Amino acid sequence: MGGLSELEAVLRLSLAFLLGAVLGLERETHDRPAGLRTFILVAVGSTLIMIVSIGLRDLYAGSTGVDPGRIAAQVVTGIGFLGAGTIMHEGPIVRGLTTAAGLWVVAAIGLAVGAGFYLVAAVTTALALLSLTVLARVERSYFGGKGQVIVNVLSSDVPGQLGRIATALGERGMDIKDIRMSPREDGLVEIELKVKAPPKDAMPGAMQALASLPGVKSTEYSG
């Protein structure tokens, strides 16, 4: 494997596994589209690609056109497609951007580990974890929690219903911040939407619009 021993390569892959697991576990506990296994696979795969790139450089030392960065750079392109799969768009709502960014960061961490930049990879993991945990709480406390209304909708679990609900709120100028869905065994689904607080006189009309949607059984709001 060129100038890199197999033992060192295994150690780098193992470190990538651990660092990917740290960030993946945080996403998994929040039930995000990409969780523990996905983050581990991205980190380990990126590390392996970098190791192979370095090995090819050493194997073909002196040859022209052998650039370890060229293969590794494709990881950045490829991770964009994977990250796009974690982003969900329903009407005015876009979710999964943080998870997509997390996948991009963990791919970079894997490349750093594969190149032997262990301290940089570890510090980046710590900073990313800080951003996903501590800063997330700060954001909710000082920004996200102010002027929010919680809208609860009980509806038939039919395709496109979430989009219709989001559209009904969006048409009334309501900015949806988060959505949680809890399917039930009776064919219904409980939908909780966190909405940036609109003018007080707008809520009754919004609730009436939601209640008039086909399949909606009940609506209520608080906050």
Side-chain angles (χ1 to χ4, degrees):
M1 196 176 294
L4 186 65
S5 69
E6 290 192 354
L7 176 59
E8 187 172 357
V10 169
L11 291 176
R12 291 185 183 186
L13 291 171
S14 300
L15 178 59
F17 180 97
L18 292 175
L19 297 181
V22 168
L23 297 180
L25 185 61
E26 191 282 334
R27 295 284 84 189
E28 189 76 38
T29 55
H30 290 82
D31 196 26
R32 298 311 184 194
L36 180 62
R37 292 179 298 171
T38 304
F39 271 68
I40 289 175
L41 289 173
V42 169
V44 172
S46 300
T47 299
L48 178 60
I49 290 173
M50 179 58 81
I51 291 173
V52 171
S53 300
I54 293 173
L56 289 175
R57 180 202 62 186
D58 296 337
L59 185 62
Y60 296 99
S63 301
T64 59
V66 179
D67 181 8
R70 185 177 300 173
I71 299 177
Q74 302 308 310
V75 173
V76 179
T77 302
I79 206 66
F81 291 98
L82 181 61
T86 70
I87 299 174
M88 295 180 291
H89 192 280
E90 288 279 357
I93 313 157
V94 178
R95 299 188 63 201
L97 292 174
T98 301
T99 300
L103 287 171
W104 181 76
V105 170
V106 82
I109 290 170
L111 292 175
V113 172
F117 301 130
Y118 307 130
L119 180 59
V120 170
V123 170
T124 301
T125 302
L127 292 175
L129 186 63
L130 177 69
S131 176
L132 291 171
T133 55
V134 177
L135 294 185
R137 288 195 289 270
V138 171
E139 185 180 46
R140 287 193 296 268
S141 298
Y142 290 93
F143 303 102
K146 294 184 178 180
Q148 280 192 350
V149 171
I150 304 298
V151 177
N152 292 287
V153 180
L154 180 63
S155 171
S156 300
D157 192 2
V158 295
Q161 188 70 337
L162 179 58
R164 287 186 282 271
I165 292 172
T167 299
L169 294 177
E171 288 176 346
R172 286 156 182 80
M174 299 186 182
D175 185 10
I176 300 174
K177 297 299 184 182
D178 193 22
I179 296 176
R180 294 184 182 275
M181 300 179 63
S182 302
R184 303 194 333 187
E185 294 182 357
D186 56 2
L188 300 179
V189 59
E190 297 175 359
I191 305 174
E192 179 186 279
L193 306 99
K194 291 183 180 179
V195 182
K196 184 176 180 181
K200 292 183 178 180
D201 57 358
M203 287 309 300
M207 293 299 100
Q208 184 176 1
L210 291 178
S212 65
L213 292 175
V216 171
K217 306 301 180 183
S218 65
T219 63
E220 60 179 8
Y221 73 94
S222 61

